[in-house]
Amino acid sequence: MATLLHIDSSLFPGAASSSRAVTDAFRRTWQEQHPGGAVIYRDLAVNPVPHITADAHTAGFADPASHTPGQATAFAERVRLIEELEQADAVLIGAPMYNYTIPSTLKAWLDNVILFGRTAGETPSAKGTPVTVVASRGGSYAPGTPRESYEYVQNYLTAVLADALALDVDFIVPELTMAPQNPAMSELVPLFEASRERAFQDAATKAKALAERLAA
């Protein structure tokens, strides 16, 4: 059975988070298709991974036999995260937009798993693994909107996940999530509701299709 690596990074718990609500819908559909499969779950808001350090960085370019104790400890954590990525048959990432980009906790995870000569470079070790990113945002940064040029979540994650790690990346984008709370956005509530419903439908459809594809 397939293994799903599920990563959430929203600061908000449960249904209070749009990205968590949609990743949960994806995961539930996935588990219905794979009742005997495995899910590796990382909640980066509750249990953040270490930010990359000089020891963790330099150890990636040195012979393990030459590692100092500090390098060995820091690199072991990187390897653990990398192995989770390599062992996954599919990856699910909740990536809300904070201040125009991804949460720092998700950036820390990426900095740990991007290792040239292993996960990145000429022969990326997880190449082709399907990744579904739930990229929620309080407003809209879609093409043609006034804030299109501020879209640094999908653009950045495409560059890192698809280009650097050679993963097969797909996005689900619930937008205008602040409309119900912000009176100035009240007229956008119907668009938010439509976006939210579409995100849940996409999560279920994509999870089922991916499960069927991996089982074939």
Side-chain angles (χ1 to χ4, degrees), residues 176-209:
L176 301 168
T177 63
M178 287 299 296
Q181 288 80 41
N182 186 347
M185 298 175 67
S186 60
E187 64 184 32
L188 300 175
V189 169
L191 292 178
F192 152 73
E193 292 173 342
S195 175
R196 181 177 175 84
E197 180 61 27
R198 186 165 54 250
F200 281 124
Q201 291 176 355
D202 284 349
T205 300
K206 291 175 185 290
K208 185 176 181 180

Side-chain angles (χ1 to χ4, degrees), residues 104-204:
S104 64
T105 52
L106 181 54
K107 178 63 162 61
W109 180 82
L110 288 167
D111 286 341
N112 276 282
V113 300
I114 297 171
L115 179 60
F116 284 89
R118 183 164 176 172
T119 59
E122 293 185 3
T123 56
S125 56
K127 181 178 180 178
T129 301
V131 180
T132 304
V133 179
V134 178
S136 60
R137 60 276 315 275
S140 178
Y141 301 81
T145 62
R147 293 202 169 187
E148 175 184 358
S149 63
Y150 290 89
E151 209 303 304
Y152 300 117
V153 173
Q154 287 177 265
N155 291 337
Y156 170 70
L157 290 178
T158 296
V160 173
L161 298 174
D163 298 344
L165 299 180
L167 306 176
D168 182 9
V169 183
D170 190 21
F171 287 94
I172 299 173
V173 185
E175 62 179 9
L176 301 168
T177 63
M178 287 299 296
Q181 288 80 41
N182 186 347
M185 298 175 67
S186 60
E187 64 184 32
L188 300 175
V189 169
L191 292 178
F192 152 73
E193 292 173 342
S195 175
R196 181 177 175 84
E197 180 61 27
R198 186 165 54 250
F200 281 124
Q201 291 176 355
D202 284 349

